[in-house]
């Protein structure tokens, strides 16, 4: 069964903003560590941001100050607010939820930033 579904991707000009959402159906959402990854064409997957169940966040250096990860445990939704987008942010963005040996992934959403 589907556990994580990303949405909110699209085409945006450089300097613009997008907000990605990741809707979860898994029962462990509120206690899971949630992560946003991205993978650009021809490149390795890159960790973008993480948020713990308690709200502690961590970001890749490449997105610090521009991206904000957040979560709504009541609605079981993970967010990624992306501001001041750059062409190098173009990638498929994935969310992951993990707790111990449990690991869930979404199908990804494409973000394309044009110059």
């Amino acid at each position: 069964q589907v556990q994580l579904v990303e949405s909110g991707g699209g085409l945006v000009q450089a300097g613009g903003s997008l907000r990605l959402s990741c809707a979860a159906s898994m029962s462990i959402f509120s206690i899971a560590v949630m992560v946003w990854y991205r993978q650009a064409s021809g490149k390795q997957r890159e960790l973008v941001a993480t948020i713990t169940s308690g709200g502690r966040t961590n970001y890749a250096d490449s997105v610090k100050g521009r991206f904000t990860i957040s979560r709504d445990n009541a609605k079981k939704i993970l967010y990624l607010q992306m501001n001041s987008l750059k062409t190098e942010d173009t990638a498929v963005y994935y969310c992951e939820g993990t707790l111990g040996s449990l690991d869930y992934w979404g199908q990804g959403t494409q973000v394309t930033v044009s110059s």
Side-chain angles (χ1 to χ4, degrees), residues 8-12 16-20 80-83 85 110-113:
L11 175 64
V12 64
S17 298
L18 281 175
R19 188 176 79 158
L20 304 184
L80 185 68
Q81 178 66 44
M82 306 187 295
N83 300 327
L85 283 160
Q110 175 71 46
V111 172
T112 303
V113 184

Side-chain angles (χ1 to χ4, degrees), residues 71-89:
R71 63 193 297 165
D72 185 330
N73 287 337
K75 295 181 179 178
K76 292 187 178 181
I77 301 178
L78 175 72
Y79 300 101
L80 185 68
Q81 178 66 44
M82 306 187 295
N83 300 327
S84 302
L85 283 160
K86 304 176 181 180
T87 55
E88 52 262 44
D89 295 319

Side-chain angles (χ1 to χ4, degrees), residues 16-64:
S17 298
L18 281 175
R19 188 176 79 158
L20 304 184
S21 298
C22 173
S25 58
M26 58 199 198
S27 60
I28 63 163
F29 178 86
S30 64
I31 58 174
V33 174
M34 300 300 298
V35 187
W36 284 104
Y37 287 91
R38 66 186 180 187
Q39 187 166 20
S41 180
K43 295 187 177 181
Q44 289 189 328
R45 186 177 63 194
E46 174 189 20
L47 187 149
V48 175
T50 64
I51 185 166
T52 67
S53 58
R56 183 172 297 179
T57 59
N58 192 38
Y59 297 92
D61 287 343
S62 58
V63 306
K64 277 181 183 176

Side-chain angles (χ1 to χ4, degrees), residues 88-114:
E88 52 262 44
D89 295 319
T90 295
V92 178
Y93 285 71
Y94 300 89
C95 63
E96 180 205 21
T98 182
L99 179 68
S101 62
L102 298 174
D103 192 35
Y104 303 97
W105 286 85
Q107 84 290 349
T109 186
Q110 175 71 46
V111 172
T112 303
V113 184
S114 64

